[in-house]
Amino acid sequence: MSVMAESASMPTRKTILHQLRWRYATKGFDPELKVSEEDWETLMNAAILAPSSWGLQPFKMVVVTDTEMKKRLRPACNNQPQITDCSHLVIFAASKELTEEHIDGFIDLTAKTREMELEELEDFRKLLHDFRKKLETNGTALTWSQRQSYISLGFLLSTSALMGIDACPMEGFQPEKVDEILGLEGYRSTALCALGYRTGNDWLVGLKKVRFPPEEMVISF
């Protein structure tokens, strides 16, 4: 057993599964209940700490708490009430291309964070630039970026469940219109996540979670 697993502050296995069973894609949010700044900071950092290919994080999280902006976005999101009723609306916007500037900025950050000389990272820089050229040649940069953003979304959803904060991941929206409203350039809105607290009268509240059993889902060798 690891040292971290022995820590009294770590949630138990039972607690983890209980909270993951508790969560559901909340449709009815109480607009009067807001996620605190402290809780949002934890959620935000959980999403940032998610793994990504090479550690490059080729996406942005656009966070909307402004009431008027939510109202503007709602028609572009199939008029779903979660958009305006939630506390925080998070838009995961994937980069349309992996740029040289992004890679060089990442190398600079790596050198600073790990107290290394830039010369020590030149081989890594070349490897990343070769990867960038491959994405460019194949035309797969956006698809790659979107996949990375979904990993971050998963971390956000799991963390919110452990914290007892409701969430609703959403794909039912018009990316081009959302991008236009938010003034996004070089990015494509990929997934939304509404965060807040359930009203209690949502028809989905209390329904048992339907999932295929492990013996149907897991293949072991």
Side-chain angles (χ1 to χ4, degrees):
M1 182 179 294
S2 69
V3 175
M4 287 298 293
E6 293 174 349
S7 171
S9 63
M10 296 290 288
T12 65
R13 297 177 182 86
K14 183 177 180 180
T15 297
I16 292 171
L17 292 178
H18 177 272
Q19 287 305 113
L20 292 177
R21 291 188 179 103
W22 167 85
R23 67 146 301 278
Y24 75 105
T26 304
K27 301 299 187 292
F29 286 92
D30 187 334
E32 300 302 318
L33 298 179
K34 303 299 181 183
V35 174
S36 70
E37 285 300 315
E38 294 78 10
D39 284 346
W40 163 245
E41 185 172 353
T42 298
L43 292 168
M44 174 187 68
N45 280 293
I48 291 172
L49 287 168
S52 70
S53 180
W54 305 106
L56 285 168
Q57 299 175 289
F59 59 90
K60 300 292 186 185
M61 291 186 294
V62 183
V63 186
V64 181
T65 57
D66 180 74
T67 300
E68 292 305 313
M69 179 57 79
K70 290 178 186 177
K71 289 179 180 178
R72 288 183 61 194
L73 287 168
R74 182 164 168 169
C77 302
N78 296 333
N79 204 36
Q80 297 178 81
Q82 301 97 301
I83 299 299
T84 48
D85 292 346
C86 71
S87 171
H88 290 58
L89 178 65
V90 183
I91 297 99
F92 286 84
S95 179
K96 293 181 179 179
E97 61 178 337
L98 180 59
T99 66
E100 294 183 24
E101 292 77 14
H102 187 91
I103 289 175
D104 290 340
F106 174 70
I107 292 294
D108 290 343
L109 178 61
T110 301
K112 180 180 179 181
T113 302
R114 296 178 176 171
E115 299 181 345
M116 301 172 66
E117 296 296 329
L118 285 174
E119 291 75 13
E120 299 178 69
L121 295 167
E122 281 308 309
D123 287 344
F124 186 38
R125 186 198 303 271
K126 182 179 184 304
L127 183 65
L128 292 181
H129 278 298
D130 288 344
F131 175 68
R132 176 188 62 79
K133 292 173 184 177
K134 182 178 179 180
L135 291 178
E136 185 177 290
T137 299
N138 295 338
T140 55
L142 177 58
T143 300
W144 170 76
S145 298
Q146 290 174 320
R147 287 173 177 170
Q148 308 314 307
S149 70
Y150 272 103
I151 298 173
S152 184
L153 171 61
F155 268 57
L156 179 63
L157 292 171
S158 297
T159 304
S160 65
L162 290 173
M163 295 176 67
I165 296 171
D166 287 296
C168 183
M170 307 167 72
E171 285 188 321
F173 65 99
Q174 301 170 61
E176 294 84 358
K177 290 188 177 180
V178 170
D179 293 347
E180 181 182 353
I181 292 169
L182 294 174
L184 294 179
E185 294 184 4
Y187 291 87
R188 169 58 50 83
S189 297
T190 298
L192 313 181
C193 184
L195 296 164
Y197 297 96
R198 63 188 70 176
T199 61
N201 56 11
D202 188 335
W203 70 273
L204 287 169
V205 172
L207 290 181
K208 290 185 177 180
K209 192 177 294 294
V210 179
R211 294 291 187 273
F212 288 107
E215 56 267 27
E216 293 189 34
M217 290 296 297
V218 180
I219 300 173
S220 301
F221 289 93

